[in-house]
Amino acid sequence: VFGKIFPRVALKHRLQILNHFTERLKTAKAGKLLEVLQTNIFAALLCGLRGLGEGKAQLGSKELVNSATTLITSQLTSANPALRCAAGESLGRMAQVVQDNKYIAERAQHSVDFLKTARDVASRTGHSFALCCLHRYVGSLGSSQHLATSVSILLALAQDSASPVVQAWALHALSVIADSGGPMFLHW
């Protein structure tokens, strides 16, 4: 239901909803309740962004974009793999509904920079998945300037035998990017 309603509400109400989500996550106590709350919020957010994308609508104001981006990026490094996936998917959907090349470039560069310095499994897997989702939802042609960088950093992670979990996520991210590139990927 949220995925059908969110695209139809006024922009000020979208912002109120996103701010409410952020506040609820900040005030929730750690434990099972927080995990359930995070799961429900990200399921709703992902459905809402998908609804916007399917309707070819934009998210809204810069303030709305910043609020959603902050909420999403906070979970890219979550200890919960399902939340990392939901955050990565949400970031890809955000790029689709923001429809701004500068935003896409900033998000891709943020993940690349994070991957260059991060050493923990959650950060590396979350940002690897975020990169592939950006390519999936805007298409590799829409993010072609970052394609070579994304592929090279994911390839390096896929060859890092120190962490099989990171390798698996990086390989999955590479396969998603290859699928989204279609025939363009034959040149690699």
Side-chain angles (χ1 to χ4, degrees), residues 6 30 41 48 57 80 100 107 115 119-120 137 151 154 157 162 167 179 181 187:
F6 187 73
I41 285 173
N80 183 334
D100 178 17
R107 292 295 92 215
L115 286 169
R119 295 291 165 238
D120 62 297
Y137 290 110
V151 169
L154 290 170
L157 289 173
Q167 281 182 310
D179 285 346
H187 300 295

Side-chain angles (χ1 to χ4, degrees), residues 106-118 127 149 153:
E106 287 172 355
R107 292 295 92 215
Q109 191 59 51
H110 175 75
S111 285
V112 166
D113 291 344
F114 209 91
L115 286 169
K116 287 179 181 176
T117 59
H127 283 276
T149 306
I153 198 156

Side-chain angles (χ1 to χ4, degrees), residues 93-113:
R93 292 286 186 175
M94 278 289 295
Q96 185 182 38
V97 299
V98 171
Q99 300 171 352
D100 178 17
N101 288 336
K102 183 180 177 194
Y103 177 82
I104 296 166
E106 287 172 355
R107 292 295 92 215
Q109 191 59 51
H110 175 75
S111 285
V112 166
D113 291 344

Side-chain angles (χ1 to χ4, degrees), residues 51-58 96 99:
L52 283 168
E54 288 171 354
K56 306 279 190 238
Q58 291 193 348
Q96 185 182 38
Q99 300 171 352

Side-chain angles (χ1 to χ4, degrees), residues 112-173:
V112 166
D113 291 344
F114 209 91
L115 286 169
K116 287 179 181 176
T117 59
R119 295 291 165 238
D120 62 297
V121 171
S123 296
R124 291 178 132 193
T125 56
H127 283 276
S128 294
F129 193 68
L131 271 179
C132 79
C133 289
L134 285 170
H135 286 281
R136 175 191 296 156
Y137 290 110
V138 297
S140 288
L141 291 175
S143 56
S144 60
Q145 69 267 24
H146 299 287
L147 182 61
T149 306
S150 297
V151 169
S152 65
I153 198 156
L154 290 170
L155 192 55
L157 289 173
Q159 295 171 345
D160 180 12
S161 60
S163 177
V165 173
V166 173
Q167 281 182 310
W169 282 63
L171 286 170
H172 174 71

Side-chain angles (χ1 to χ4, degrees), residues 17-37:
I17 291 167
L18 292 176
N19 288 338
H20 178 71
F21 285 169
T22 301
E23 285 305 311
R24 290 297 303 140
L25 290 177
K26 285 180 185 175
T27 59
K29 291 185 171 86
K32 199 68 173 165
L33 180 62
L34 176 61
E35 201 170 300
V36 169
L37 187 62

